[in-house]
Amino acid sequence: MSEDEAASDLASRFRRLIQRHGPMPVSRYMGESNALYYDSRDPLGQAGDFTTAPEISQMFGEMIGLWFADIWTRSAKPDAAYVELGPGRGTLARDALRAMSSQGLRPPVHLVEGSQALREAQGSSLGEAQFHDSIATLPEDQPLYLVANEFLDALPIRQLVMTTRGWRERLVALDGEDFVFGAGPNPMDDAVPEELRAQAVGTVIETCPGAAATIEEIARRIDVQGGAALFIDYGYLESRPGETLQAVRAHEKVGVFDAPGEMDLTALVDFGILAQIAARAGLAVDTATQGDWLTAMGLGLRMQALAQRSPERAAELKTAHDRLIGVDAMGALFKVMAITPRHTARGAGFG
């Protein structure tokens, strides 16, 4: 079965399920759509649907590698493992590991990746690496230096909508053959934080149980095992209401119901609540915009060094630099959150 046929079959299956059992939660629609989407293709690059920061420039991964190397050096150089969640083609890992190696850090590589297509690309890029289906099987006997770039945004979200009858779960229903949003019958007011309950009719609040569980588990691991984690994604630093679910296909935004299983569904990451979860677990938490963090880490100096070495690439490097840190590009929209044990070295770049 081709990718288009599989996606069409998923849309048909969703319609049958809704007709038989009633509307489905947004979380199920998003989760099953993305599961098929990522399992059936390499979505990255010009031939795919979107481009991530590691694909824009080697400098991005190098800054991450140097961040971990700095913590490693100031933590008595432990035997640690490099871990990446959703490592794409392995580009970030390749660049980060090269930067780490320049500082003497050469950790074993553990990649949490469910897509067979992307595992093949990662193996070609990195060579020896151990793959995991989930964080549950990561090593438990050594510190973890973990990075997740544009991983949390693709985890299924749950949406609650304010109606004339109060808060309800937002569902995916049918209007004829078309998918539409609807509201569930059961009151959900108790699931909404008290400070956010008084909203206008139609207001949507999003939560991401998968992201919360991921941060909670990684924080527990780092608290027990040591190490550090760096999460980079587009999102906001203070919790707020609002609908952010979106779909991208062929580098263009499309409707979230256009082609389930054939487009990338994502939502902005609520770093405000995730930081609270990590802090409650006893970890030190630092946050910044991607632009501020990369600038503090020395992205500009690295650009100059690469341009001096390869003058013919100067314009290309400047374009990549500006795209990564620009306020109107990725610099302000993307955020960086670091979690580290309270009693060890904090990560650089957070002021």
Side-chain angles (χ1 to χ4, degrees):
M1 182 182 294
S2 70
E3 292 175 6
D4 287 347
E5 288 172 334
S8 175
D9 186 65
L10 180 63
S12 297
R13 187 166 67 84
F14 280 162
R15 290 188 180 95
R16 290 195 301 271
L17 285 170
I18 293 171
Q19 289 165 352
R20 293 174 185 173
H21 305 291
M24 67 173 61
V26 169
S27 57
R28 179 174 182 179
Y29 174 84
M30 182 178 179
E32 294 193 23
S33 297
N34 276 353
L36 173 60
Y37 174 79
Y38 281 102
D39 194 49
S40 60
R41 73 199 68 210
D42 177 353
L44 296 163
Q46 285 302 115
D49 294 314
F50 56 88
T51 301
T52 60
E55 306 293 332
I56 292 172
S57 174
Q58 69 183 69
M59 298 183 291
F60 182 79
E62 289 171 346
M63 295 301 102
I64 290 170
L66 292 175
W67 188 83
F68 284 119
D70 174 65
I71 288 181
W72 176 72
T73 300
R74 292 187 289 125
S75 302
K77 300 183 177 181
D79 291 329
Y82 174 85
V83 177
E84 189 170 342
L85 309 184
R89 292 174 174 166
T91 305
L92 188 159
R94 183 191 64 209
D95 295 335
L97 290 165
R98 184 178 63 252
M100 285 186 244
S101 180
S102 72
Q103 305 302 309
L105 173 56
R106 300 175 181 87
V109 178
H110 295 264
L111 305 177
V112 178
E113 177 61 70
S115 167
Q116 188 58 43
L118 289 175
R119 282 190 180 192
E120 292 174 5
Q122 293 152 15
S124 298
S125 177
L126 298 172
E128 186 174 342
Q130 184 171 337
F131 291 100
H132 302 263
D133 292 324
S134 73
I135 59 179
T137 58
L138 291 174
E140 298 182 350
D141 58 352
Q142 60 190 145
L144 303 178
Y145 290 155
L146 181 146
V147 61
N149 179 65
E150 292 201 50
F151 172 80
L152 299 173
D153 66 287
L155 298 178
I157 61 165
R158 184 184 189 191
Q159 289 186 331
L160 302 178
V161 59
M162 184 62 172
T163 72
T164 55
R165 298 169 296 152
W167 288 97
R168 299 291 188 271
E169 180 155 20
R170 205 178 196 197
L171 306 175
V172 177
L174 283 176
D175 180 6
E177 289 292 301
D178 297 329
F179 296 112
V180 295
F181 286 117
N186 300 322
M188 299 296 295
D189 299 74
D190 290 344
V192 178
E194 188 172 348
E195 65 273 16
L196 296 178
R197 288 180 187 172
Q199 303 291 337
V201 170
T203 300
V204 173
I205 289 177
E206 297 174 338
T207 64
C208 186
T214 297
I215 297 299
E216 189 171 25
E217 174 61 12
I218 294 303
R220 184 192 68 78
R221 288 289 201 103
I222 291 176
D223 185 46
V224 173
Q225 298 173 225
L230 204 57
F231 295 90
I232 306 170
D233 230 311
Y234 65 105
Y236 41 91
L237 296 177
E238 295 184 5
S239 298
R240 65 192 188 204
E243 177 185 1
T244 70
L245 182 65
Q246 67 173 19
V248 172
R249 188 180 187 189
H251 300 272
E252 299 287 344
K253 285 189 177 182
V254 295
V256 297
F257 297 136
D258 282 4
E262 201 175 343
M263 56 191 184
D264 182 38
L265 285 169
T266 61
L268 291 180
V269 176
D270 185 350
F271 282 105
I273 192 65
L274 298 183
Q276 292 177 31
I277 291 170
R280 285 199 298 267
L283 278 291
V285 184
D286 293 292
T287 57
T289 66
Q290 176 175 294
D292 286 346
W293 184 78
L294 287 174
T295 299
M297 285 297 299
L299 187 74
L301 295 175
R302 180 56 176 159
M303 176 194 68
Q304 293 172 12
L306 289 172
Q308 289 175 356
R309 186 183 307 167
S310 304
E312 72 281 2
R313 295 183 59 209
E316 167 201 335
L317 290 163
K318 181 65 164 59
T319 297
H321 170 275
D322 293 349
R323 186 173 175 185
L324 291 172
I325 72 165
V327 173
D328 295 328
M330 300 176 74
L333 178 61
F334 280 72
K335 310 300 189 297
V336 183
M337 182 177 78
I339 57 176
T340 52
R342 290 190 180 276
H343 60 278
T344 61
R346 301 283 282 268
F350 292 96

